Amino acid sequence: MPEQADGWAGMMTVPREMKVVNGKVITVPVEELTSLREDKVSLKNQMINGEKEFSNIKGEVYEIETEADLTNSKFFTIKLRTSSSQETVLSYDKENKILKLNRDKSGAALKGEREASLPLTNNILRLRIFVDKSSVEVFANDGQVVMSSRIYPDKGAHGIKFSSSGVTKLNCLDFYKLKSIHN
């Protein structure tokens, strides 16, 4: 981590609300974060079979909300902050019910993969993802699973790629650039 050279390491996260639903702790971003959204791109009923990019969905600081129907797919992947040599990979393995966040190619010599068990209801995977210059935060299935991680991609790593083994239907895909909290 680049900040280790300065003698520290850590990560702030987006403000969150915690609640108990059916005996389980759920964590979701606070509603006020929606005030940072701008330049919305909204797509409906997109089929992903293999790898796909959308020309108007890319950036350095953004939020993605999507609902993916995995009825006819085994794996679904979103590659964040991609370039020719870098990517941060969020993937879902339907057979094993595992959500993974891999940062082996996330820049600045980072390595590692996190995973969490995440059963689906009716084959639907809902994701809310916040990405900025040095972090990724994933809220899956309305806060049932949350992953936060540091990343250090190059400035040119603005791509976002979707891929599927089988056909994944994106019922909805909303992309927002996020404005700074600093004026």
Side-chain angles (χ1 to χ4, degrees), residues 30-61:
V30 296
E31 183 65 29
E32 290 84 353
L33 289 174
T34 61
S35 69
L36 300 176
R37 294 174 172 174
E38 58 186 9
D39 301 329
K40 180 180 180 179
V41 176
S42 187
L43 302 173
K44 302 280 186 219
N45 302 316
Q46 297 293 312
M47 300 301 187
I48 309 295
N49 188 4
E51 190 168 85
K52 187 169 189 174
E53 290 181 81
F54 301 97
S55 61
N56 52 353
I57 295 180
K58 59 186 172 187
E60 188 176 54
V61 179

Side-chain angles (χ1 to χ4, degrees), residues 103-116:
R103 59 185 196 162
D104 287 348
K105 296 181 183 177
S106 294
L110 280 177
K111 300 273 185 243
E113 183 171 76
R114 295 182 177 164
E115 66 177 52

Side-chain angles (χ1 to χ4, degrees), residues 112-124:
E113 183 171 76
R114 295 182 177 164
E115 66 177 52
S117 174
L118 182 64
L120 301 182
T121 302
N122 299 321
N123 293 304
I124 298 295

